[in-house]
Amino acid sequence: MAGSTLRRAAWHREGALKLATDYAQTRKTFGKLICEHQAIQLKLGEMATRARAARLLTLDAAAAFDRGERCDLEAGMAKYFASEAALENSIESMRIHRRLRYSKEYDIERLYRDAPLTVIGGGTNEIQRVIIEAWLKRNPLA
């Protein structure tokens, strides 16, 4: 279940980033592509950072699993961060799309509508936070 949630979150966070990037490079306002505006560049940079960090956390959890190590903490961190990144990236992508955001003919509307499901699917993020509390148990004061 967690694996499918991570895949769904990956599509949402990376799909939202791609849609926003493509749109920003084609949409013009006031004679400029919107990707030339610093505010849009900052949003896209934050989205790319969240997507990359989520991917690396997921790869870290998968590597621990492949080595046969206990990976509940790593998987919880990956699921928690990746689903929050998916939600944030879909919201920011909707903001970049502005006038098109609620039109059902665009993929961004579906990503925005479905992204909250990544936060509750495969164990809610509140449960993931409880799992992450194990950090202290794994790293006691010597």
Side-chain angles (χ1 to χ4, degrees):
M1 182 67 152
S4 64
T5 301
L6 284 171
R7 281 190 295 280
R8 191 175 311 114
W11 159 240
H12 283 83
R13 71 177 178 270
E14 293 173 19
L17 173 60
K18 174 147 181 39
L19 290 172
T21 300
D22 292 350
Y23 182 75
Q25 292 175 341
T26 57
R27 173 77 172 130
K28 285 187 175 184
T29 59
F30 305 108
K32 281 173 76 169
L33 290 171
I34 64 171
C35 66
E36 295 174 10
H37 296 281
Q38 187 177 29
I40 300 298
Q41 292 171 3
L42 292 173
K43 282 184 188 294
L44 291 171
E46 290 170 359
M47 291 171 68
T49 301
R50 276 192 291 272
R52 178 77 175 151
R55 176 178 285 276
L56 292 173
L57 281 167
T58 302
L59 290 173
D60 181 54
F65 179 81
D66 288 345
R67 290 189 303 267
E69 297 173 3
R70 183 176 179 174
C71 60
D72 54 332
L73 176 63
E74 291 81 1
M77 287 178 171
K79 195 279 181 192
Y80 168 71
F81 190 85
S83 62
E84 292 291 336
L87 186 59
E88 281 297 313
N89 279 5
S90 68
I91 291 168
E92 290 302 321
S93 187
M94 279 292 266
R95 289 179 176 150
I96 290 170
H97 279 82
R98 301 209 193 276
R99 66 185 177 87
L100 304 175
R101 57 182 150 204
Y102 293 113
S103 177
K104 289 194 183 261
E105 63 190 80
Y106 293 95
D107 286 336
I108 187 55
E109 183 275 336
R110 183 173 45 86
L111 289 176
Y112 178 76
R113 180 175 28 96
D114 293 348
L117 297 176
T118 67
V119 175
I120 58 175
T124 66
N125 280 359
E126 289 74 19
I127 296 299
Q128 301 309 318
R129 288 185 190 114
V130 170
I131 293 169
I132 294 167
E133 282 181 26
W135 176 261
L136 290 173
K137 292 176 187 159
R138 283 200 196 171
N139 295 283
L141 188 58

